[in-house]
Amino acid sequence: MHLDITDLPFGVTNWAEVEKTEHTGEQGVAYWQTRQFGEIRVRMVEYSPGYLADHWCAKGHILLCLEGELHTELEDGRRFVLHPGTSYQVADNAELHRSSTEQGAKLFVVD
C-alpha cells in the first residue's frame, strides 16, 4: 500500500520566504509556515521554549524533529521524546496526542 500523490507538479519551497503564522498554546507559542498541495498540508513548525499545546489533537501527522526536543503525550498516558532526526506517525482519529517542549523545537510536518 502506498500514498498516491497526484496533480502535484515539481516545485521547490524556500521556507525562508513562507509567511509565519502564530498559534498560541496553553503555554508558549507555535509559529507555523504552511504550504498546501491539494489535500496535503506541509508545515515547518517552531515551538517556543515552554510550549504546551492547548488541545488534544486527533489529526494524523508524519512529523520529523529537526531541532530541539519534542515531548509527545498520548491520551492513554504513553509519552515519547523526539530529538533531531527522529519522527513519529499517527493516523487521523487514531490516538489523541499533544505536544510540549521545555527547550523549544523545530519540526517538519506532513498532514
Side-chain angles (χ1 to χ4, degrees):
M1 183 174 182
H2 64 278
L3 172 67
D4 289 323
I5 300 175
T6 59
D7 300 319
L8 181 62
F10 182 86
V12 174
T13 299
N14 180 347
W15 289 98
E17 297 175 353
V18 177
E19 178 186 0
K20 287 186 179 182
T21 58
E22 186 174 302
H23 304 264
T24 305
E26 184 174 308
Q27 298 172 26
V29 64
Y31 297 98
W32 296 8
Q33 294 169 279
T34 306
R35 297 287 317 271
Q36 192 73 39
F37 303 104
E39 294 184 14
I40 301 170
R41 179 175 68 172
V42 180
R43 296 179 288 155
M44 193 76 69
V45 177
E46 290 184 63
Y47 290 138
S48 68
Y51 177 82
L52 172 62
D54 65 353
H55 66 283
W56 288 95
C57 183
K59 178 76 179 126
H61 316 282
I62 298 171
L63 182 151
L64 171 65
C65 182
L66 300 173
E67 297 174 9
E69 182 178 276
L70 180 73
H71 296 247
T72 300
E73 178 183 6
L74 302 186
E75 191 178 40
D76 66 10
R78 289 180 290 157
R79 297 174 182 268
F80 301 90
V81 178
L82 273 64
H83 297 96
T86 58
S87 63
Y88 77 69
Q89 55 283 328
V90 63
D92 287 336
N93 303 307
E95 295 170 283
L96 295 178
H97 51 280
R98 69 175 174 179
S99 297
S100 64
T101 179
E102 293 176 10
Q103 62 179 288
K106 185 173 186 178
L107 316 167
F108 186 77
V109 183
V110 178
D111 51 18

